[in-house]
Structure formats: C-alpha cells, structure tokens
Amino acid sequence: MNKLLQTWKQNMTEEKKLKHIASVYIFNDKEEVLLIKRSKTAEKDPHIWEVPGGHVDPEDSSYEAAAKREAKEESGLSVSNLKHLEDQEYHNRIKHTYVTKNYTGKVEIVANPDTGVVEHSDHMWASMEDIISLNKQTRVSRYLMEKAISILRGKK
C-alpha cells in the first residue's frame, strides 16, 4: 500500500507531458470530406474511418505545417489555405484540427515514409449523411463536420 501511495504522489506531482496531434478535414466541391480507413493491422482502431492526421514532429514548424505534412503522407494530397477548426485537449493530447477545400494531387494510400507500414487501406469522399450512416465506424463527429462546412462557407 505504501508503494501505491508513493506512486500516486509521484504521478500527481509530475509535469503533464502533452502530445500534439494535427489533422485536416479536406473537402471537395460537393462538400464531401476525405476519409481514410485504418488498416486491419493497425494497432489502434483497425477499420475505423478518419481524416488525415497524426503526431506533430519536432521538425514541423507549426501545427498547420504538421497537418499539411500528415495530409500528404496519408492521402497523397498537397493541401493549402488551411483554416483553424478547433483545438481539443483530451487525456495527454492536444489535437489541432484544420479545414480546407484547397488541394492538389490524387488520393493515394501509400506506406508511411518513416516506418514503411501501410497505415490505411482505403479512402472515400463522405457527405454528412455518409458520416451519420458510418456511426461507430468513424471518429468524425457531426459537430466538427458542421463547423468545418460553416467555416468553408464563410459563416465563421
């Protein structure tokens, strides 16, 4: 019991180390968002649809730069003119989310350039109705979709 109490006190006094994540909602002209599907071998959340994103690297000059890099790595698209959507803190992470309708290239699912692992297995352009029908198969919330569309329409 004494060791448990000591561990608890140590955890309570240690500085909270936050991990930063950057992601981007990429929209086409039909107001559909690009979703990528985590591969069946993914350690966390296999087969879940999500928007491109990942950890901010020390080499990234900003959270926006990290979102652009992750979009390119995970989808093959080069994105620009990102608008800030939201920052969310949960557990030991802060997720910096952006939105854009400006992209070039063709969607290509390829291996992670650092690890060689294929993290995603498929992609699709999804409408709000698609997001709703995916239900628990996606991490994309209706709230963020609505907010992103509103920003793209110039209402926020």
Side-chain angles (χ1 to χ4, degrees):
M1 183 67 160
N2 193 19
K3 183 161 177 91
L4 180 64
L5 182 59
Q6 187 178 22
T7 302
W8 179 80
K9 283 182 182 179
Q10 183 180 359
N11 288 338
M12 294 303 290
T13 58
E14 283 183 4
E15 184 178 326
K16 187 177 180 182
K17 292 189 169 97
L18 295 174
K19 294 179 183 174
H20 291 268
I21 297 168
S23 64
V24 59
Y25 282 62
I26 305 168
F27 280 86
N28 64 19
D29 291 335
K30 299 176 190 174
E31 290 189 346
E32 297 169 321
V33 67
L34 175 65
L35 297 182
I36 52 180
K37 187 176 186 180
R38 294 183 63 82
S39 69
K40 66 180 180 181
T41 58
E43 288 182 30
K44 185 178 177 193
D45 299 329
H47 300 291
I48 295 294
W49 291 94
E50 62 187 0
V51 298
H55 290 91
V56 175
D57 291 343
E59 300 81 31
D60 293 321
S61 60
S62 65
Y63 302 129
E64 183 176 332
K68 289 178 179 181
R69 177 185 51 75
E70 287 289 343
K72 181 71 174 168
E73 286 178 6
E74 294 188 345
S75 73
L77 299 179
S78 296
V79 295
S80 61
N81 195 26
L82 273 60
K83 295 178 180 8
H84 184 256
L85 180 59
E86 187 166 283
D87 292 331
Q88 297 172 312
E89 184 173 347
Y90 55 98
H91 306 293
N92 65 337
R93 302 173 189 269
I94 297 179
K95 187 172 187 178
H96 308 275
T97 308
Y98 297 88
V99 59
T100 190
K101 61 181 177 182
N102 300 103
Y103 62 89
T104 58
K106 180 178 132 189
V107 178
E108 294 181 281
I109 305 297
V110 296
N112 180 303
D114 294 329
T115 64
V117 174
V118 178
E119 298 171 349
H120 298 90
S121 60
D122 202 0
H123 77 280
M124 73 176 190
W125 292 96
S127 66
M128 179 65 87
E129 292 75 26
D130 296 329
I131 298 294
I132 293 167
S133 70
L134 285 170
N135 195 11
K136 295 185 189 297
Q137 293 176 314
T138 183
R139 290 185 184 161
V140 178
S141 72
R142 282 192 257 176
Y143 161 74
L144 283 180
M145 276 289 289
E146 289 170 356
K147 187 173 180 180
I149 290 168
S150 181
I151 288 171
L152 290 177
R153 290 179 179 169
K155 295 183 180 178
K156 281 200 172 189

